[in-house]
Amino acid sequence: QVQLVESGGGLVQPGGSLRLSCAASGSIFSINAMGWYRQAPGKERELVASISGGITNYADSVRGRFTISRDNAKNTVDLQMNNLKPEDTAVYYCNANLKTYWNTRRFYDYWGQGTQVTVSS
């Protein structure tokens, strides 16, 4: 089995910063990509940022404020969130697209449980 454990969420004032971390563990053979998604109340889950093969991409709403980074050796991905806005309030989910040792034929998506980020005065 594969587990993704998230940390770093919490309450922050507008303009503040948070750093989310996610560690993937288990029978991981290869990770294609890791990323962060979020889901705000009444909205669909959306991609915030992803990183694969050294290539990063960001949602337009966070570009310039958020930075995603990855440590391939430790199977971790971080999301540095600066200049947070109330509209960033959401549950943030870590995602990993990976192969396991038990099935090396294809990549599967795995998800963390989510961590709440609340931006409010």
Side-chain angles (χ1 to χ4, degrees):
Q1 297 290 337
V2 174
Q3 287 189 331
L4 274 62
V5 180
E6 302 143 330
S7 63
L11 175 65
V12 66
Q13 294 183 343
S17 298
L18 284 174
R19 187 176 183 90
L20 304 182
S21 297
C22 173
S25 62
S27 301
I28 299 171
F29 177 76
S30 178
I31 298 179
N32 174 51
M34 299 188 77
W36 289 93
Y37 291 70
R38 69 185 181 188
Q39 187 166 22
K43 295 185 177 181
E44 296 181 351
R45 184 175 298 189
E46 65 173 346
L47 174 68
V48 178
S50 66
I51 182 167
S52 178
I55 304 298
T56 60
N57 64 86
Y58 298 90
D60 290 341
S61 59
V62 308
R63 187 175 292 108
R65 299 186 297 120
F66 292 8
T67 302
I68 189 170
S69 60
R70 175 181 170 184
D71 187 330
N72 294 334
K74 296 191 294 185
N75 295 329
T76 60
V77 63
D78 290 354
L79 185 68
Q80 179 65 47
M81 304 184 294
N82 297 327
N83 192 24
L84 284 160
K85 304 176 180 180
E87 48 263 46
D88 295 318
T89 296
V91 177
Y92 284 70
Y93 297 90
C94 179
N95 166 264
N97 184 252
L98 57 83
K99 293 179 178 179
T100 68
Y101 283 106
W102 299 104
N103 186 354
T104 63
R105 299 298 303 274
R106 61 169 291 178
F107 292 99
Y108 292 90
D109 279 312
Y110 294 84
W111 297 89
Q113 290 296 308
T115 184
Q116 178 70 49
V117 172
T118 302
V119 184
S120 178
S121 298

